[in-house]
């Protein structure tokens, strides 16, 4: 723990419980970004990319190792949203095609569903929750028929401690032969993820959250056997080759979902962040996060007027709560003045879930392995004073 903190310069300035927003960067990530940025300044951007070619190529192996796939199944992306979009908008929907999703779905994904439903006549269906607030597997199974084109769910939602049963959903999708797109933006870097065990066809994640990488980064996984059936919504001279005046050849690895231009410094930063996470071990990280978040939930719930809002049988590092009689936004701002970072989750971020629970917003305190029991203690004291 001491090493994790000494390698996280931001720990000296803030009590950071906003890891589901953007984690504090570890020093090796900052160094990797700065080193390449400096190299670009010193020798030229193209020349720096050439000089760092082998290291850059290692990005794919680092991501592949992290989630248990092959490097050819990884595409570098600028965000989790764009990664998700590249697959979703590649699917060809016909009128009456059914898309099955769940209550926890992230706003950007649902906005895309609504757009495509309007354009194509595809139908979006929200599977009800089980008694724990997770997607109901029996309801999901009962809704499967030949018209189901896609199952797309969020593994860990932006707005709470819930961990959806992504593997069990994957089994249903596999047995039905339905494409399964998993939004793992909050779970990659927080817990061990193995795309084979999850049976997903595609998965997206971001760099800045639990992976502790730079902002403006992410990656996409697409299963090898699915790549060639997906024609990306955009192509460029990296994703495809202009082979004749009226001919184009689209590459057959996941890089077909990439663009040629990218921020190499940040890409190398994310590569370093993934290697750094793997060096701690995802099992170790996950155990520590579960311990800290369970402690935080228990301490908060003993404070009068505080209500924990997390759903799910198994819960993760995202702890959400409200305080009776206090405005959640006010709490976030009051904490910020004391160098305590949390964030506000609003109804617009996950409307299906918030509306079903009659909530407008919640305070989100998300812990990572480098946080401490002392920070939890101090945090709860501040909340107690506010309450
Ligand atoms: C943050 C978040 C996203 C979006 O990630 P970006 O990198 O900002 O595009 C998608 N899904 C979930 C569940 C998220 O929490």
């Amino acid at each position: 723990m001491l090493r994790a903190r000494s390698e996280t310069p931001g720990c000296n300035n803030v009590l950071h419980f906003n890891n589901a927003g953007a984690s504090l960067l570890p020093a090796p990530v900052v160094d990797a970004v700065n080193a390449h940025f400096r190299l670009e300044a010193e020798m030229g951007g193209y020349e720096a990319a050439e000089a760092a070619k082998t290291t850059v190529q290692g990005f794919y192996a680092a991501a592949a190792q992290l989630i248990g796939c092959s490097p050819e199944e990884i595409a570098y992306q600028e965000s989790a949203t764009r990664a998700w979009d590249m697959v979703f908008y590649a699917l060809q929907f016909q009128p009456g095609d059914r898309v099955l999703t769940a209550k926890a779905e992230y706003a950007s994904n649902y906005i895309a569903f609504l757009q495509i439903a309007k354009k194509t006549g595809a139908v979006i269906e929200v599977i009800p929750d089980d008694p724990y607030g997770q997607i109901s597997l029996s309801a999901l199974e009962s809704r499967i028929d030949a018209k189901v084109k896609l199952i797309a769910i969020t593994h860990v939602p932006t707005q709470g401690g819930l961990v959806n049963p992504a593997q069990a959903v994957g089994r249903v999708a596999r047995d039905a032969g339905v494409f399964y797109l998993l939004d793992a933006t909050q779970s990659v870097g927080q817990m061990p993820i193995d795309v084979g065990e999850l049976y997903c066809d595609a998965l997206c994640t971001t760099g800045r959250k639990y992976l502790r990488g730079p902002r403006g980064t992410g990656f996409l996984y697409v299963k090898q056997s699915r790549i060639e059936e997906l024609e990306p919504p955009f192509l460029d001279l990296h994703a495809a080759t202009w082979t004749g005046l009226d001919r184009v050849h689209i590459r057959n690895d996941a890089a077909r979902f990439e663009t040629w231009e990218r921020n190499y410094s940040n890409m190398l930063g994310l590569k370093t962040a993934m290697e750094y996470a793997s060096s701690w071990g995802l099992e170790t990280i996950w155990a520590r996060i579960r311990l800290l978040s369970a402690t935080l939930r228990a301490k908060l719930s003993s404070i009068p007027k505080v209500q924990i809002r997390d759903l799910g049988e198994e819960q993760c590092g995202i702890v959400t709560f409200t305080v009776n009689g206090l405005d959640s936004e006010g709490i976030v701002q009051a904490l910020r003045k004391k160098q305590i970072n949390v964030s506000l989750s609003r109804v617009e971020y996950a409307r299906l879930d918030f509306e079903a629970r009659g909530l407008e917003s919640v305070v989100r305190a998300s812990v990572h392995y480098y946080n401490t029991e002392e920070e939890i203690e101090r945090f709860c004291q501040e909340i107690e004073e506010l309450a």
Side-chain angles (χ1 to χ4, degrees):
M1 203 37 44
L2 278 176
R3 177 163 78 84
R5 291 184 74 76
S6 70
E7 290 176 359
T8 306
C11 285
N12 298 325
N13 315 318
V14 287
L15 191 168
H16 194 72
F17 284 179
N18 191 14
N19 295 290
S23 284
L24 293 178
L25 298 165
V29 172
V30 178
D31 293 344
V33 173
N34 286 341
H36 190 78
F37 196 49
R38 204 174 308 120
L39 199 63
E40 288 185 342
E42 284 166 1
M43 67 187 295
Y46 284 36
E47 295 73 14
E50 186 63 31
K53 199 169 176 181
T54 317
T55 321
V56 169
Q57 207 49 37
F59 173 89
Y60 300 92
Q65 204 219 315
L66 187 72
I67 63 165
C69 66
S70 79
E72 294 74 29
E73 295 174 308
I74 296 290
Y76 176 70
Q77 299 284 317
E78 69 189 50
S79 71
T81 303
R82 277 297 172 265
W84 188 96
D85 286 343
M86 289 306 279
V87 167
F88 179 68
Y89 287 95
L91 295 163
Q92 304 286 321
F93 292 97
Q94 305 299 324
D97 279 350
R98 300 169 61 214
V99 175
L100 305 184
T101 187
K103 279 262 199 49
E105 201 60 7
Y106 188 65
S108 297
N109 304 346
Y110 209 81
I111 287 168
F113 290 156
L114 293 174
Q115 183 190 33
I116 284 299
K118 199 168 169 192
K119 274 193 182 163
T120 68
V123 181
I124 313 305
E125 294 174 41
V126 181
I127 304 300
D129 285 345
D130 72 6
Y132 292 105
Q134 310 169 162
I135 181 173
S136 160
L137 295 167
S138 54
L140 176 67
E141 274 170 326
S142 73
R143 302 273 192 106
I144 298 289
D145 70 12
K147 279 288 190 192
V148 177
K149 167 102 177 162
L150 171 69
I151 296 174
I153 66 157
T154 294
H155 192 191
V156 166
T158 193
Q159 72 280 7
L162 168 72
V163 183
N164 258 323
Q167 182 185 47
V169 169
R171 279 206 197 93
V172 174
R174 179 202 56 185
D175 293 349
V178 173
F179 197 101
Y180 179 32
L181 170 58
L182 184 65
D183 179 343
T185 308
Q186 294 288 6
S187 50
V188 175
Q190 180 171 188
M191 62 188 71
I193 294 289
D194 184 305
V195 289
E197 286 176 9
L198 295 174
Y199 306 108
C200 58
D201 294 296
L203 168 150
C204 73
T205 195
T206 202
R208 72 180 185 280
K209 295 180 179 174
Y210 276 93
L211 277 175
R212 309 185 68 195
R215 295 200 64 171
T217 62
F219 70 82
L220 170 68
Y221 154 80
V222 182
K223 192 175 175 176
Q224 186 61 56
S225 60
R226 292 291 202 175
I227 291 175
E228 286 181 77
E229 67 189 69
L230 297 170
E231 185 177 322
F234 313 113
L235 290 172
D236 76 352
L237 78 183
H238 168 80
T241 310
W242 195 7
T243 50
L245 277 182
D246 56 359
R247 267 180 297 127
V248 158
H249 173 73
I250 307 176
R251 52 191 299 170
N252 53 19
D253 57 11
R256 65 165 53 193
F257 301 103
E258 296 182 335
T259 46
W260 184 84
E261 177 56 353
R262 63 197 62 188
N263 184 324
Y264 280 95
S265 306
N266 285 351
M267 185 181 179
L268 289 169
L270 178 53
K271 169 185 183 261
T272 305
M274 292 190 291
E275 290 166 348
Y276 190 72
S278 295
S279 79
W280 288 103
L282 270 296
E283 289 288 355
T284 307
I285 290 173
W286 181 218
R288 167 106 184 140
I289 289 176
R290 268 184 306 179
L291 179 74
L292 289 175
S293 55
T295 307
L296 177 57
R297 263 184 216 104
K299 289 222 154 89
L300 278 174
S301 63
S302 71
I303 302 172
K305 297 198 222 167
V306 172
Q307 289 195 50
I308 301 295
R309 298 295 187 172
D310 298 320
L311 304 174
E313 184 177 15
E314 182 187 27
Q315 295 181 325
C316 71
I318 303 179
V319 178
T320 53
F321 62 95
T322 53
V323 181
N324 297 345
L326 288 186
D327 166 46
S328 294
E329 185 161 13
I331 296 173
V332 174
Q333 281 164 5
L335 292 170
R336 185 74 47 88
K337 289 202 184 94
K338 306 199 160 181
Q339 280 73 51
I340 297 176
N341 298 341
V342 293
S343 64
L344 185 71
S345 282
R346 303 170 189 274
V347 57
E348 294 90 346
Y349 302 169
R351 186 167 284 282
L352 298 168
D353 178 32
F354 275 88
E355 281 196 6
R357 297 197 274 155
L359 292 168
E360 260 303 311
S361 63
V362 295
V363 181
R364 181 181 71 179
S366 44
V367 298
H368 215 323
Y369 63 88
Y370 62 81
N371 290 125
T372 63
E373 271 91 356
E374 291 72 39
E375 287 180 314
I376 290 175
E377 202 59 53
R378 184 181 152 217
F379 183 80
C380 291
Q381 273 167 18
E382 295 290 351
I383 295 296
E384 198 160 2
E385 278 175 33
L386 286 171

